[in-house]
Every structure is written in structure tokens, then in C-alpha cells.
Amino acid sequence: MNYYPREGKFTLIDLPYAATALQPVISAETLSFHHGKHLQAYVNNLNAAVAHTEFEGMSLQEIVLQATTSAILNNAGQLLNHNLYFTQFCAPATENAPSGRLLEAIERDFGSFEAFKEEFQQKGATLFGSGWVWLAAKDGKLVITQEANAANPIQRGMLPLLTFDVWEHAYYLEYQNRRPDHLAALWQIVDWNVIADRYLQQ
Ligand code: MN
């Protein structure tokens, strides 16, 4: 999976599933706006912001780690975050859980998969304003982080594994103010094979 497509300029990542595939957890309408409008805007804004600067030609991660101006940093961060977000889902399944080494690490660092989910949801629900809740790895240990606005765990030396977007645009059409309900539903569509691949690449 290429999380960072670009052909000279950055381009909009393809969704690895049909527009209706994540229903009813994420509707085709939300997906259409979130991927087709919001993410496309971050792609366009980033390309415009880096044009004729030292950042033109850098990788997305390099830009996120080195940019200091908000126009470049925020759009690059949102592009990195959304590319990881949109590529981690699959059609809903009720029995949906990690396995193998990733499950062992989750149980080691959070006690159980259920305890991990509870803490992850709680940190997503209590993140004030717009941002992202992440499962990330640092020095071999799994941690849950809250990142405001466009921030990404790589800025603090961590490997990002799984993320839930808690910007209102991610859920408002179906869930309105019920962010916790949206977060609870997302477990049905997490593609744990993708998360395990990211974890095992560290
Ligand atoms: Mn978003």
C-alpha cells in the first residue's frame, strides 16, 4: 500500500473499498464529502503551499517533521493523517479483533483488547475540539495519544498505527453531537490486517 501517492504533486489517495462498503458505520455521503472534498482540499492546499519552496519535492513525512509555517504544516499533517485513516478500514464485521503479535502487544501494554478499546474511545471522546486519537508505537511499546488539529505521532518520534478522526466532518451527518457513539461503531470496520502490517514494519 502506498500511503503517500504523488506524481510530482501530491495526489488524492484512492479508497481501497467501494463508497458504500463501510455502511452503516460510515455512510457513502460522509465518505464522499470527507474523502472527495475535505481531503482533496488538503491535497490542493498543500501543493499550493509548497510550490517554489524548499519543501517542494520532499516526502510527506519530511514535510510534517520539518515545516514551520502553518499553511504547510497543517495541510501536510492532515494529508498524512487522512491517508493513514482512509486505508485502515474494511466492510463491517461484528467479530473484529487483532491477532498474532499485535494482539499480544495490545494485551501486554493495555491488559486486554477490551481495555484498550475502552481507553482509546475515552481518549477520543474527551479530546477537546478537533483532532485525532492514535494507537502508536514507541521503543517497542504501544501507546494511545491525543493529537490536536493536524498533529501526528511521528512528530514525537512514534510510529502511527491506527487512528480515529474526531473532527466533526468525520461523523456529523449521521451522528451529529454523538461523537462517542461514532467512535464505538468504528471498531466494526477497522482492518486489523492493515494495522498489523504497520506494526510489524517498525
Ligand atoms: Mn477528517
Side-chain angles (χ1 to χ4, degrees), residues 7-83:
E7 293 159 10
K9 292 187 172 188
F10 290 101
T11 56
L12 184 67
I13 197 168
D14 291 328
L15 295 177
Y17 38 76
T20 54
L22 307 183
Q23 297 189 135
V25 178
I26 296 177
S27 71
E29 186 181 23
T30 286
L31 205 52
S32 165
F33 279 99
H34 198 180
H35 174 258
K37 303 294 184 187
H38 288 277
L39 183 53
Q40 183 68 64
Y42 295 128
V43 170
N44 296 347
N45 292 341
L46 179 62
N47 283 326
V50 300
H52 313 300
T53 73
E54 63 191 295
F55 299 101
E56 197 169 32
M58 279 191 194
S59 73
L60 196 48
Q61 294 99 320
E62 286 173 325
I63 295 173
V64 169
L65 292 173
Q66 296 179 36
T68 53
T69 64
S70 60
I72 295 176
L73 186 58
N74 288 335
N75 286 294
Q78 284 295 73
L79 189 49
L80 179 61
N81 294 345
H82 283 96
N83 285 4

Side-chain angles (χ1 to χ4, degrees), residues 34 38 42 78 82 85-86 132 165 167 169-170:
H34 198 180
H38 288 277
Y42 295 128
Q78 284 295 73
H82 283 96
Y85 173 82
F86 282 120
W132 304 76
D165 185 345
W167 284 60
H169 66 223

Side-chain angles (χ1 to χ4, degrees), residues 105-106 108-109 136-143 157 159 161 199 202:
I106 287 172
R108 179 195 66 205
D109 294 332
K138 182 163 193 180
D139 301 328
K141 184 174 163 55
L142 296 178
V143 291
L159 175 71
L161 300 175
Y199 176 64
Q202 69 181 316

